[in-house]
Amino acid sequence: MPQSELNLSDSPTFTTARLVELWCAEPVFFASRELSDTYYTEGAIGNYALAYALGWARAPYRLTGKDTGRPRYREDLTPLAGQHYILPAWPVENSPSYRFERFNALSDAYWYAMTNNRVATAREDLPLKRTGKKPNTYRPSNFPQTGRLRIIDRGNRFQTLVFGEGELPEYIRVGKFTSKVRVDVGEALPVRQLPADTYRCNTYLNSADLPPDLEPFAFDLIAIPPASLLKNLQFHGEAWQIGNFLIPANLEFLGGNSRE
């Protein structure tokens, strides 16, 4: 069918995209799930983390007031609409390999005691504790001090699509431990706009970035913070074809919505 006869919306926001491979030079850890004292990393790298790692956005070094209690993805990422976008990275193999590590942040002091999710090191607080008072060293803490980590092992490879112009760094750092990841950039592929129809996506997607008019039918959900990822999405709507990849059209960070 001639292009002029297709019922297409505006031309694609991006005309090209680059297929990028990420190679984990160091083990990568995200706290995707927490089960008891074990912290699991899912087999994906979120696109918000990648946007910060690529230097597209910078969070303020010091947060004050209400900003200390909430993320700043909307302020940091929605200004990138129409300039840069990246998909969540998916493993090149069917499933990445993992390693387990135990962490232990217990005190090396002569005396310590486990309290309510906290290690107390002030022995002089014991008499206060026995009288029913709660010294500061006995108060609960949100910082885990012992547990196990499931980490993406060194050498795993992931793929993603990067939209927008500009040089990409040779290496980035991602995850809770700012692990080193090599960035191998492929050739630019044209973004072809497809009319509204039923498609099956063969990449990972961020559920918060989907356009509002998309009709999803079925998908596999990867429940991770800050926004769940989707894979094997079947949907009705306009699509972009990039090489062998089919994805929903008009993807933007947080759907391009800069308002709460």
Side-chain angles (χ1 to χ4, degrees), residues 10-29:
D10 297 337
S11 56
T13 308
F14 303 102
T15 57
T16 60
R18 288 168 284 180
L19 180 63
V20 171
E21 183 170 298
L22 306 174
W23 178 75
C24 299
E26 296 176 334
V28 175
F29 170 68

Side-chain angles (χ1 to χ4, degrees), residues 59-65 67-68 72:
Y61 180 75
R62 185 181 299 277
L63 299 175
T64 59
D67 286 341
T68 59
R72 288 179 46 88

